[in-house]
Amino acid sequence: MTLVPPPAAAAPGRTAVGVRATARITATVGGTATTLPVLDGDGPFELRRLRSHGSEARVCIVGAMSAPLGGDRLRIEATAQQGAALHITSAAATLALRGPDSEHATYDVHLTAGEHAQLHWLPKPLICAGGSDLRQTWTVDLAPTARLVLREEQILGRTGESPGHVATRLTVRRGGRTLLDQQAEYGPGAPGWDGPAVLAGHRAAGQLLIVDPVFEETPLEVQLLGGSPEDGQAVLTPLAGPAALVTAVAPDGLRLRHLLDTAQATFRRTVPGASAIREGR
């Protein structure tokens, strides 16, 4: 008889094909301030409370392990209940890396804001290292009176490194009706991603989405932001609803950040009544 030793125990949270982890955040109104009855980190997500800003609750996502790697299945669920104000950021950039095999990773973010709630999703950039393969989604459900500020930055490859592959989808519903549904794909294997109709040789892309009922009374106009195309440019576009989207491309993360900071300043200057827009990340 041959004795077969039992398989080695997997690392906590990690399966044969990667980590399965879901982090949950819930913000609600308690008295005159927003409280956090649910702050449940998991896997690579360690959630920390930050000092509040007025009545707003603030949460920082801290990476507890390298993620996402190929094969990982990661998810964050954040809810700002009626009247709550929730600001979410991250301690550092997220680095997508190649896993032990060719399996892709997924990183899904689901945001929900109730009536008169305010939700900021403002993490540090996502860096897609060479050889990585990531599929990322944002699904946002807003009540008609909710406010949203969503900012995302993607950097394709580290310094001197070929880019990884990333496919993204952003879906925003307001009052149950679709406000925005868009997809993008960059990196090796994505048709035409580096051509003049997409990134035109740039290695950083990002966007800033503002949803605020004040836009119903103060509509915006299309604006082009930035200098020469070689240094990166952004375009501010009003959406068919009380919202506006800024899309930016740049040679690197620093210039991309400058473009998106300029866009936020443009919002504050143009629409002073949009209470969800202010400085800081």
Side-chain angles (χ1 to χ4, degrees), residues 53-76:
H53 185 282
S55 62
E56 178 186 71
R58 298 167 63 88
V59 176
C60 182
I61 302 170
V62 179
M65 63 176 74
S66 294
L69 305 178
D72 288 353
R73 300 292 182 262
L74 308 180
R75 181 178 174 89
I76 295 178

Side-chain angles (χ1 to χ4, degrees), residues 62-147:
V62 179
M65 63 176 74
S66 294
L69 305 178
D72 288 353
R73 300 292 182 262
L74 308 180
R75 181 178 174 89
I76 295 178
E77 300 173 357
T79 300
Q81 296 182 351
Q82 181 174 346
L86 175 61
H87 179 117
I88 302 173
T89 185
S90 61
T94 297
L95 180 61
L97 295 166
R98 179 182 177 88
D101 53 36
S102 60
E103 180 71 13
H104 69 271
T106 64
Y107 189 161
D108 300 320
V109 178
H110 194 164
L111 308 176
T112 305
E115 294 288 355
H116 303 287
Q118 180 173 300
L119 180 55
H120 289 190
W121 175 260
L122 300 170
K124 297 295 191 297
L126 165 68
I127 302 172
C128 298
S132 63
D133 187 0
L134 178 66
R135 299 176 188 177
Q136 185 170 27
T137 65
W138 299 266
T139 304
V140 185
D141 287 292
L142 304 173
T145 56
R147 294 176 169 87

